[in-house]
Amino acid sequence: MKLRALTNSLVGASIAIAFAALVFSMLVSRADRVDPGAEDADFVERLDLAPLEHMAVWSGGRLRSFDSFARARMSLIAGPERLNGLPPSAAYLDLMLRPEAYQMAEVLYVKKKPMRAQFIQALAGSGLDDPEWSERFLETGRVAPVMLQQPAIADLLTRWEMDVVRTAKFAEQIRAASRLMNPQAIGASLAVVPPPSGDPKQPWIPLTEIWAPGGSFSEPGSPLDALDDALRGEISASFSGFASAWRARDADAANTWLARFESLLHDVAPEVYPSEQHMALESLYFKASHLTWVWLIYLISAAMLLMATVYKWDRARWLGLGVFAIAFGLHTVALCWRWYVAGRWPNSNMFEAVTTAAWLGTAMIVVVELLARKTPMRNVFALCGAVASILGLMSAHYIPQLDASINNMMPILHDLWLYIHTNVIIASYAVIAMAAVSATMYLVRRAVGGSPDYARVGGAAALMEAATDASGEPARRSAGEVLDGVTMVLMELAFVMLWAGIVMGAIWADHSWGRPWGWDPKEVFALNTFLVFLILVHVRLKVRDKGLWTAILAVIGFGVMVFNWGVINFIIAGLHSYA
Amino acid sequence: MAKNPGSKTPDPARRMSPVSVVLDLASSVRLGIVLLTVLFVYCAVGSAGIIYPSGGAVDFAFLGIGFRHSMIRQWPIFEMTEFEWFHTWFFNANIALICVNLTVATLRRIRFNAVNLGVWMIHSGIIILSIGSVIYFATKTEGDAPIVRRDVVIEDEGQTLRLPAIAGASGELRGVTYQVSMIDPEWELLSGEDTGKVAYSVNVGVQNELQPYVRQLLAGYPQYTEDVIPGQGRVKRIEGFGGRALVDESLSMRLELSPQDRFWLKDSSVLAVRPAGSRDSWAERPIEGLPRYNDYVDLTATETWPAPSNKYDKPHVVRPLDLAIDAGADDALAGYDVRINGYLRYAFTRSRWEPGADEINPFIEFVVGDGDTINEVAELLAFDEARSSAFSGRVAFEWIEDEAELAQMRSPRRLLVVEVAGTGESLTIEYDPPAGDDDQAEPEFLPLGDSGWSLRVRTNIDGLQMADGTRVPLLITDIRSPEGAEFTRWVFEDAERSMDRHDGSNPDDPHPVRQPDERLLTSYTFEGGLSSQLTVVAGPGIDGVASFYNNQGEIVERQLALDTPTVIIDGLAVRLLRLIPDAQAVPKPQIIPWQQRDQTLDTMRRFAMVRVEVSNGEWSQAEWIPFHRYSFTNPSLAVRTLTNWAPAVFELPDGNRVELIFTRATEKLPAPMVLDEFILTSHLGGFTGETSSIRDWTSVVTFEGDDESGRSISTNDPVEHEGYWFFQSMWDAPRAPSQGDPFGSAGMTFTVLGVGNRNGVYIQLFGCCLSVAGMMYAFYVKPIIKRRRKAAVLAAVEAGEYGEHARARAAAKQERVPEGAGASS
């Protein structure tokens, strides 16, 4: 027995170490790398871009940190990978200050791989279809702006634009990237000077009002006319100095001028300038990849909890719950961090819906796990919560359609029911995902020959029974009973919340769109998800193999929910397409 | 839904009776499961359609697999909107059967007690929700109403003209034309104690014979009304008006609120009829059975233009259609047979040049390009100056009547006559441009006798494109004056266009381009030649079709063949598509390939059209009519952002003219309403034109006869009036001037409110709340009740109230889990 325990310990420790190494390597790989090329390496290394982290840029009706704004823009221009290894804010400035360096450089990002293949196909026989380039392009998706001028590519883009249903958006993405990297467009996008009047209803002033590649200039009727001449001159001179130093690759001078420029911007209208702390936290939030990598920590906890469940290994249980608590803590930090940066509870776009749903589900699972601590179902809830959070956070981390940028909410979302209806619905979706985890485990168990057990006491009643044996330990139940019981507890929660959420949505729709129910696809598929659980409840009454049918229908319900969130949202767009 | 534990086994004879068989079936849980499954499938395919893998053209790809999507409810056999799909007899019957099953099962199988209260509440709630939904959907009326912010009311000599305050709206009163030219929704007042306040400003252009002017009206500030004369400024500052603010003080012009008394029903279709040119309300003829998603044309080939080739990767099938449109009332088409025999979901009327004109009107269509990837189509009319050339005048089409004309084209004549005014000294130069290279030595100046003037021809441009699209020949000359000044003169055939161009580098000469020096007269005559770099010619004077290309002075002539590329020079090829000597413009619908359709405009039926045929047995007329979102009585309201506006006019055999539009049905609002104000609130930094900068829209409205005025309607904050709810739906967004919309707009001139009733909504809400409460009871209260009861029984057993035998059995049972709690029960 001792040997077996030792083996188990070694296996567990090895897995834990492997996961820790994986986390460390992934975090390191995401750290800021500077690899701009030999001639620029020294310049970039000595650059101090800290002022950009608390400099504000006005865009889309809100203030963002320069760093986060540049990060979003560079993602549109050059894709998710860094351009020449430069931090996004430095790359964005470099595109504006040294445009000549990028004319022939592979900068523009073509996101879809099939589209990259069509690019290469279009260039076949033109003399530009160098195999080395083709391979590199397929891998990186980046193409030089001059390539868009090639007749074959121009023709290809025109053909894409003709198909507004399927391909026009890809052509528009490439053209938009090309427009966005224009130095004038970059200057015009950088509205960094607050309105001198300090009026929050006045627009902020773009860089192009104080600086141009040929030197500073003043247009009559500029919004800066209201600004004190001396301050205006200093602002203009400091950015010009910064631009000159940047072009001359004089890092020390550039650092000095940038710090000066950033400090002067505060003086224009201190009453409307956001706090340094707010901007810095926003920059850091995006630099830290919005903490969606916490899925890795959930993964470690899931591995531990799985071992605890399968091997009944108490140490793994405590270790797993500990790591789960750390993951949930970090998840909570991520949520609150975004809440603070956005100035509102994060539940108004797909990224926020998925990450907040995962958090709400996990928060509920913490409560349920506490309630179930004396039952045979303990550990399994936390395991389900960890797996559902892995799915949610991985989706947010890797699926580009889940845009993490923070924007103003559409007017229709400014309503108390957004917070009630949306959170209840997304929490129910999270619980549905968790129920699908235990259901899948049940199905796997049955697939490998497990007995057709099911929970004699279903749902919340099982928790209330607090089935313990005489010694106070959880009563012994078969794995089938435990997994089926967990599915039923979660299914009950999802059942009530989903129906209540649908009703709340109808109340909101009634006073927002003029009708409680409009049969739009998002509504219908929320109802369809509920119908699956309604069928589950009644099927369980009639069939002999209750555990099997419960598990099958729980997984189907999860599938319908994912279909609603994925296919309906992104392909069969309805009125809810913004959420 | 536990089986009633107290129920007895039914008597076999009773069980066999037809009534009990029906009741057993109606209370069957299995039937309920089947009905719910059918409902699930029906909802899924109706809402999302079907998605299937495809090896050919795909709608989207996932994990490298291509998929096609098909919306079943839009198939020709259904042609249903979402609302219609979810109100078919099948759907209604399914819901009704679920309700019957629920009711009978609840009454027969579930005893009403504290334990089963939750299930009773859930089932009752669902049935109440269904009853509420029947009331709600059976009486549902839903639509929208656009309301203009102000009308301009003009009164002159007892006559009145009312124009909506929308840029471009115009009308005529007593021979004077009035047009709303500009609206500034946030005009800052600069006068008196109101300085700094913001008002709604409307400018109205007054086009009279004596003195055209613009009158500015400010809502709420009639005292600040004043006139502006274009180019001169405000009237009160112009001498001669004696400090008056108005050009004509007898002309009364003011802003009034614009009442709206109707709303347009969602997804409805009618033909609206009225006498042509009338401003009366439209008579509406409902269209029953009009399709929505597929194309229906009797003879596709003759009724529509063919779709561009290779644009469809889904087969495009059209079907016949014949709908009789009955007269609902005695309208302007009473007595005539009105039918709809064509419907196109997404098309627009396009004119193409076809043979058949009574007069010669040469038209040519050809492709010009590099013969490979670059190909542009030119459609040119020889006799229409504005359309006889393309690509900035570099390509042109000419019609050659005889061989002499052709010869002139091959050998053009450029004749310049120069005369020193008043001296009789003159010079005639026949200019022949040097061929080919750029290294020609500059020609010598030719003196004009002893006058001191001398001149040389520098170059020629035989087809200089003017701003109006026409091409004119030009000769560029260098001139030396007797004073020694040297300048360039551009000599046109039309002397009015000629000009002198002096050296612009002289700072003391602010006008380097000026009228020709009158001391030296020049005239230019150009005969024959090529007016463009590439000229395509046809006509009686030439065999077939030929092209002439000016290759740096050398004329390259080629014969063109139909549908075969002809190489003109390296990298330039021409392919002749059509030549029509007697071309006429023929309008027909052009179906837009589905890939190029805008989803939003499609949903709004912006490009839908019907073919309407009016006949009386001996006479008939058919027209394609586009969908009009709104049937305004006054066409001035028909701004492009709101609706199409192209009524079809039918010339009836009795001499009457009738106009028809394809539009939506209207209903009376419970009371006429006006838009007092429209307020746009924005996020930080104000409204930038981007939607993301908008925080909210607020329409401030007043209903006629309502005690409360100025009620605010904004997003998520509707207003109720006499059973109808009013919602913020659309707004007038700013738009830049464009072709067809020369004024553009600063926006905010109108709002569109959603209008709808909601009978039965509180019954629905009650049902929903009851079911939610029931679920919570069944899942979380019922187990507590059962646990307490069980504990009480166990305590009693423990106390020996049921005897020793019972206690022994209970002790044995402790080892097993009790049955019957939670959702599994």
Side-chain angles (χ1 to χ4, degrees):
Chain A
M1 287 299 288
K2 276 188 178 176
L3 185 62
R4 187 175 173 186
L6 183 64
T7 310
N8 281 345
S9 303
L10 283 174
V11 169
S14 306
I15 292 172
I17 290 166
F19 275 120
L22 178 65
V23 172
F24 181 74
S25 66
M26 291 189 77
L27 293 177
V28 166
S29 72
R30 297 197 61 80
D32 289 354
R33 287 195 316 262
V34 178
D35 183 21
E39 72 276 15
D40 278 349
D42 183 50
F43 169 69
V44 174
E45 266 176 27
R46 289 196 295 121
L47 269 180
D48 176 13
L49 299 174
L52 297 178
E53 290 173 7
H54 23 91
M55 186 188 291
V57 179
W58 176 70
S59 167
R62 69 181 297 270
L63 293 173
R64 303 154 201 268
S65 76
F66 186 107
D67 192 72
S68 69
F69 175 76
R71 193 174 291 272
R73 283 292 167 114
M74 284 310 298
S75 171
L76 293 173
I77 295 169
E81 297 300 320
R82 293 181 163 207
L83 185 61
N84 292 339
L86 289 168
S89 51
Y92 196 57
L93 283 171
D94 211 34
L95 283 174
M96 178 176 69
L97 299 174
R98 297 193 314 138
E100 68 282 357
Y102 293 91
Q103 281 309 304
M104 303 300 288
E106 288 165 7
V107 178
L108 297 177
Y109 185 57
V110 181
K111 191 160 80 177
K112 293 275 180 182
K113 284 200 171 174
M115 301 301 169
R116 296 176 196 172
Q118 287 191 37
F119 252 66
I120 293 167
Q121 201 177 358
L123 288 171
S126 67
L128 296 166
D129 54 338
D130 167 36
E132 196 181 320
W133 172 82
S134 300
E135 197 176 325
R136 193 169 64 245
F137 175 56
L138 272 178
E139 177 66 27
T140 65
R142 284 196 183 140
V143 65
V146 290
M147 290 291 263
L148 302 190
Q149 316 297 327
Q150 290 298 319
I153 298 299
D155 188 45
L156 178 67
L157 291 177
T158 306
R159 272 192 282 126
W160 285 356
E161 280 165 343
M162 295 290 281
D163 190 339
V164 295
V165 176
R166 294 177 299 189
T167 53
K169 58 179 177 285
F170 303 119
E172 177 49 30
Q173 278 166 0
I174 295 166
R175 292 204 196 279
S178 174
R179 283 195 301 273
L180 290 176
M181 70 172 284
N182 176 291
Q184 277 295 323
I186 295 174
S189 74
L190 290 172
V192 292
V193 186
S197 63
D199 181 355
K201 292 293 173 196
Q202 289 296 313
W204 282 43
I205 300 156
L207 264 184
T208 43
E209 290 287 340
I210 56 165
W211 173 85
S216 62
F217 66 98
S218 171
E219 292 276 345
S222 162
L224 281 169
D225 289 350
L227 192 61
D228 171 63
D229 280 349
L231 181 56
R232 179 178 181 170
E234 269 198 87
I235 289 174
S236 188
S238 58
F239 193 83
S240 295
F242 168 71
S244 303
W246 185 284
R247 286 184 63 82
R249 316 313 266 167
D250 181 347
D252 293 338
N255 292 342
T256 308
W257 283 118
L258 181 61
R260 177 76 185 137
F261 177 65
E262 192 271 332
S263 122
L264 287 168
L265 294 177
H266 289 258
D267 298 339
V268 175
E271 64 274 29
V272 292
Y273 212 89
S275 72
E276 282 194 5
Q277 174 193 304
H278 193 111
M279 291 293 102
L281 277 174
E282 180 172 327
S283 300
L284 191 57
Y285 174 75
F286 286 101
K287 197 179 267 187
S289 300
H290 14 80
L291 268 58
T292 42
W293 45 263
V294 168
W295 70 267
L296 281 163
I297 303 175
Y298 275 120
L299 183 63
I300 296 169
S301 78
M304 299 290 178
L305 290 167
L306 186 62
M307 284 192 286
T309 306
V310 175
Y311 297 119
K312 311 288 182 200
W313 182 26
D314 210 37
R315 198 169 295 170
R317 175 175 181 244
W318 288 111
L319 204 55
L321 287 175
V323 177
F324 179 76
I326 292 169
F328 180 61
L330 283 169
H331 196 169
T332 308
V333 168
L335 184 92
C336 295
W337 197 345
R338 191 175 177 95
W339 188 358
Y340 171 75
V341 168
R344 55 173 167 74
W345 176 254
N347 68 337
S348 61
N349 63 26
M350 276 295 282
F351 175 89
E352 293 176 352
V354 170
T355 52
T356 305
W359 183 84
L360 286 169
T362 312
M364 279 192 290
I365 227 68
V366 169
V367 176
V368 176
E369 183 66 46
L370 284 172
L371 291 172
R373 66 189 182 281
K374 291 182 179 172
T375 71
M377 291 182 275
R378 69 185 193 183
N379 299 342
V380 185
F381 288 111
L383 175 59
C384 293
V387 174
S389 286
I390 291 166
L391 290 175
L393 294 181
M394 271 183 83
S395 305
H397 196 85
Y398 290 112
I399 299 177
Q401 279 84 355
L402 303 188
D403 181 10
S405 55
I406 298 172
N407 297 306
N408 284 326
M409 290 195 297
M410 294 170 74
I412 202 161
L413 296 180
H414 287 274
D415 196 76
L416 180 64
W417 283 104
L418 169 75
Y419 301 101
I420 303 172
H421 155 71
T422 313
N423 286 303
V424 171
I425 283 278
I426 62 176
S428 77
Y429 284 177
V431 178
I432 287 169
M434 292 167 190
V437 173
S438 55
T440 305
M441 289 166 70
Y442 182 92
L443 290 174
V444 169
R445 185 184 156 278
R446 289 294 297 273
V448 296
S451 60
D453 297 341
Y454 64 92
R456 304 284 165 173
V457 179
L463 297 180
M464 293 172 186
E465 288 296 330
T468 50
D469 59 19
S471 64
E473 284 297 303
R476 288 202 166 272
R477 296 281 178 263
S478 74
E481 284 180 273
V482 168
L483 291 173
D484 183 58
V486 168
T487 305
M488 284 307 295
V489 170
L490 295 172
M491 191 282 302
E492 279 184 2
L493 261 177
F495 191 83
V496 179
M497 287 198 302
L498 182 57
W499 180 243
I502 291 171
V503 171
M504 291 164 181
I507 295 170
W508 184 15
D510 183 44
H511 79 256
S512 172
W513 292 328
R515 77 288 183 290
W517 194 259
W519 298 111
D520 93 76
K522 193 94 192 246
E523 290 171 344
V524 172
F525 270 84
L527 178 67
N528 264 354
T529 312
F530 179 73
L531 281 177
V532 173
F533 289 105
L534 205 56
I535 291 167
L536 185 157
V537 168
H538 291 89
V539 163
R540 196 173 169 92
L541 281 178
K542 301 307 293 182
V543 296
R544 283 180 182 279
D545 200 344
K546 297 183 193 304
L548 180 69
W549 280 100
T550 299
I552 289 172
L553 286 165
V555 172
I556 290 175
F558 172 70
V560 175
M561 183 269 282
V562 170
F563 184 84
N564 194 12
W565 239 353
V567 180
I568 296 290
N569 256 336
F570 292 116
I571 295 170
I572 306 162
L575 282 171
H576 285 83
S577 55
Y578 49 79
Chain B
M1 288 200 304
K3 185 179 276 189
N4 184 352
S7 65
K8 294 176 182 173
T9 307
D11 175 6
R14 191 169 152 247
R15 199 170 54 203
M16 292 304 291
S17 75
V19 174
S20 68
V21 168
V22 170
L23 285 176
D24 284 351
L25 178 66
S27 61
S28 159
V29 176
R30 286 192 174 83
L31 175 68
I33 293 168
V34 169
L35 292 172
L36 288 174
T37 307
V38 169
L39 182 65
F40 171 84
V41 174
Y42 187 89
C43 287
V45 298
S47 191
I50 51 171
I51 294 168
Y52 53 94
S54 169
V58 298
D59 292 328
F60 67 96
F62 183 66
L63 299 176
I65 304 167
F67 290 93
R68 292 232 85 145
H69 173 243
S70 182
M71 193 59 93
I72 291 178
R73 65 178 169 80
Q74 296 183 1
W75 289 359
I77 53 167
F78 297 117
E79 289 281 6
M80 287 180 189
T81 62
E82 281 163 338
F83 190 90
E84 287 165 342
W85 180 264
F86 290 106
H87 290 81
T88 58
W89 66 265
F90 182 83
F91 179 82
N92 290 339
N94 194 22
I95 295 290
L97 285 173
I98 288 172
C99 288
V100 169
N101 179 245
L102 211 55
T103 307
V104 179
T106 307
L107 292 173
R108 290 190 83 211
R109 289 170 169 269
I110 307 167
R111 182 185 288 175
F112 185 76
N113 57 27
V115 172
N116 292 330
L117 183 61
V119 180
W120 269 80
M121 286 166 73
I122 297 169
H123 289 184
S124 307
I126 299 290
I127 290 164
I128 291 169
L129 168 64
S130 301
I131 292 168
S133 298
V134 168
I135 297 169
Y136 178 85
F137 287 114
T139 61
K140 182 68 181 171
T141 303
E142 191 177 5
D144 52 82
I147 311 172
V148 178
R149 206 158 159 180
R150 293 292 185 275
D151 280 348
V152 177
V153 180
I154 304 157
E155 288 177 345
D156 189 12
E157 301 277 334
Q159 294 184 32
T160 304
L161 173 67
R162 197 175 184 103
L163 293 175
I166 288 179
S170 66
E172 195 178 298
L173 184 66
R174 294 173 49 76
V176 178
T177 303
Y178 299 88
Q179 184 169 44
V180 179
S181 57
M182 194 184 84
I183 295 173
D184 187 338
E186 293 186 347
W187 178 271
E188 192 174 336
L189 298 175
L190 301 170
S191 306
E193 59 187 26
D194 295 312
T195 301
K197 290 180 182 172
V198 169
Y200 187 68
S201 160
V202 178
N203 285 6
V204 182
V206 183
Q207 290 293 328
N208 56 22
E209 288 184 358
L210 291 173
Q211 178 58 68
Y213 60 93
V214 174
R215 179 161 293 184
Q216 184 184 27
L217 307 166
L218 298 171
Y221 299 93
Q223 67 272 29
Y224 297 140
T225 300
E226 60 179 332
D227 292 346
V228 177
I229 296 178
Q232 297 182 48
R234 298 186 175 277
V235 165
K236 64 182 173 188
R237 291 184 188 158
I238 300 174
E239 278 186 42
F241 285 95
R244 297 196 324 258
L246 305 178
V247 171
D248 177 4
E249 290 186 322
S250 68
L251 178 72
S252 163
M253 205 186 290
R254 62 183 182 276
L255 294 176
E256 284 189 2
L257 294 165
S258 180
Q260 178 59 276
D261 63 351
R262 293 185 302 159
F263 68 105
W264 280 258
L265 297 180
K266 186 183 175 190
D267 290 334
S268 61
S269 297
V270 300
L271 278 186
V273 185
R274 71 180 182 184
S278 161
R279 291 292 176 269
D280 298 335
S281 297
W282 297 85
E284 294 173 2
R285 292 189 179 204
I287 306 172
E288 303 293 342
L290 185 72
R292 193 181 175 98
Y293 299 105
N294 299 282
D295 293 339
Y296 296 80
V297 188
D298 249 348
L299 296 164
T300 317
T302 56
E303 285 298 335
T304 62
W305 296 122
S309 58
N310 302 324
K311 292 297 180 192
Y312 287 102
D313 59 9
K314 284 180 180 175
H316 184 240
V317 181
V318 291
R319 303 150 191 89
L321 180 74
D322 188 16
L323 300 174
I325 310 300
D326 295 331
D330 189 17
D331 60 27
L333 281 176
Y336 288 88
D337 183 27
V338 182
R339 310 189 82 79
I340 287 182
N341 48 25
Y343 172 82
L344 298 175
R345 174 178 174 176
Y346 205 105
F348 69 99
T349 304
R350 176 188 164 204
S351 284
R352 272 173 54 118
W353 295 98
E354 295 289 313
D358 297 333
E359 298 174 343
I360 291 289
N361 184 24
F363 165 82
I364 198 163
E365 183 179 359
F366 57 89
V367 177
V368 60
D370 61 1
D372 184 17
T373 54
I374 303 172
N375 287 299
E376 298 288 345
V377 177
E379 294 186 344
L380 305 175
L381 285 165
F383 294 169
D384 183 337
E385 277 206 347
R387 294 182 181 182
S388 62
S389 67
F391 311 125
S392 304
R394 283 177 294 168
V395 176
F397 174 42
E398 290 192 12
W399 189 250
I400 305 294
E401 291 291 352
D402 50 42
E403 287 185 5
E405 225 177 297
L406 188 63
Q408 264 193 350
M409 176 173 279
R410 286 172 174 148
S411 309
R413 192 162 177 242
R414 302 173 189 83
L415 205 63
L416 176 69
V417 179
V418 191
E419 184 184 345
V420 181
T423 65
E425 295 282 4
S426 70
L427 184 65
T428 300
I429 303 171
E430 185 164 351
Y431 179 69
D432 195 12
D437 57 67
D438 301 328
D439 301 331
Q440 297 279 335
E442 289 202 335
E444 292 293 318
F445 278 86
L446 301 172
L448 277 91
D450 300 328
S451 64
W453 290 93
S454 58
L455 171 145
R456 72 178 177 198
V457 178
R458 192 200 296 171
T459 189
N460 65 302
I461 300 175
D462 292 344
L464 180 70
Q465 175 125 19
M466 307 308 288
D468 61 1
T470 58
R471 289 163 292 122
V472 294
L474 162 70
L475 206 63
I476 299 175
T477 62
D478 294 331
I479 295 174
R480 279 187 189 144
S481 71
E483 295 82 24
E486 191 170 318
F487 57 92
T488 301
R489 177 170 293 182
W490 287 25
V491 191
F492 290 89
E493 282 191 303
D494 177 3
E496 291 287 314
R497 283 178 163 157
S498 296
M499 65 186 86
D500 287 351
R501 303 170 73 92
H502 291 251
D503 183 1
S505 63
N506 181 1
D508 298 330
D509 186 358
H511 303 294
V513 178
R514 55 183 86 145
Q515 291 293 315
D517 190 325
E518 291 178 351
R519 294 176 295 165
L520 187 72
L521 308 175
T522 46
S523 69
Y524 179 46
T525 309
F526 178 80
E527 292 170 348
L530 301 180
S531 53
S532 288
Q533 192 169 19
L534 175 67
T535 305
V536 178
V537 298
I542 186 170
D543 288 335
V545 181
S547 72
F548 292 82
Y549 182 75
N550 185 342
N551 189 19
Q552 294 184 321
E554 181 195 351
I555 305 300
V556 179
E557 187 176 337
R558 295 276 188 271
Q559 197 72 21
L560 301 183
L562 201 64
D563 281 331
T564 308
T566 303
V567 176
I568 309 297
I569 57 167
D570 271 355
L572 177 67
V574 172
R575 180 160 57 95
L576 178 63
L577 297 177
R578 291 194 299 163
L579 172 68
I580 305 170
D582 56 343
Q584 61 175 344
V586 178
K588 281 186 191 179
Q590 172 80 62
I591 298 169
I592 308 296
W594 71 270
Q595 301 98 320
Q596 294 173 23
R597 299 178 183 182
D598 181 290
Q599 193 183 354
T600 308
L601 297 178
D602 187 25
T603 306
M604 294 171 73
R605 293 196 278 177
R606 185 81 184 193
F607 289 94
M609 51 170 63
V610 291
R611 185 179 188 273
V612 179
E613 185 168 343
V614 179
S615 63
N616 67 353
E618 299 164 353
W619 165 92
S620 76
Q621 183 183 338
E623 301 286 344
W624 280 100
I625 310 176
F627 178 70
H628 294 60
R629 191 165 170 77
Y630 297 102
S631 51
F632 295 121
T633 51
N634 186 347
S636 292
L637 279 163
V639 287
R640 289 174 64 185
T641 46
L642 274 178
T643 181
N644 286 319
W645 196 258
V649 175
F650 287 76
E651 310 269 357
L652 303 182
D654 59 12
N656 288 326
R657 298 172 76 244
V658 172
E659 58 183 3
L660 244 77
I661 57 174
F662 165 39
T663 182
R664 295 188 290 166
T666 59
E667 267 193 24
K668 283 272 184 193
L669 287 168
M673 60 193 299
V674 292
L675 178 64
D676 298 321
E677 290 295 336
F678 184 81
I679 302 160
L680 179 73
T681 43
S682 55
H683 287 290
L684 181 80
F687 176 56
T688 60
E690 297 167 303
T691 313
S692 62
S693 65
I694 298 172
R695 171 62 182 81
D696 207 351
W697 306 272
T698 304
S699 300
V700 182
V701 301
T702 298
F703 296 93
E704 189 179 284
D706 192 13
D707 295 336
E708 189 182 349
S709 63
R711 299 171 73 181
S712 292
I713 300 169
S714 55
T715 316
N716 289 315
D717 191 11
V719 153
E720 189 272 340
H721 185 71
E722 294 187 14
Y724 282 88
W725 280 50
F726 295 81
F727 309 85
Q728 185 59 50
S729 174
M730 279 172 60
W731 72 300
D732 178 23
R735 57 184 189 277
S738 62
Q739 195 179 6
D741 184 16
F743 293 101
S745 171
M748 299 176 52
T749 59
F750 62 82
T751 188
V752 181
L753 299 179
V755 184
N757 61 3
R758 49 203 286 281
N759 303 325
V761 80
Y762 291 109
I763 300 174
Q764 290 176 310
L765 183 61
F766 176 68
C768 288
C769 293
L770 189 63
S771 57
V772 172
M775 287 172 194
M776 297 180 80
Y777 186 96
F779 291 146
Y780 304 113
V781 178
K782 177 177 156 183
I784 296 171
I785 294 172
K786 293 194 78 169
R787 190 180 61 175
R788 284 182 181 170
R789 286 186 178 178
K790 184 181 144 195
V793 170
L794 286 176
V797 170
E798 195 65 32
E801 290 177 22
Y802 295 96
E804 207 46 43
H805 179 64
R807 194 162 67 177
R809 281 184 61 196
K813 263 194 170 181
Q814 279 289 70
E815 294 301 310
R816 298 202 303 272
V817 179
E819 196 170 350
S824 63
S825 59

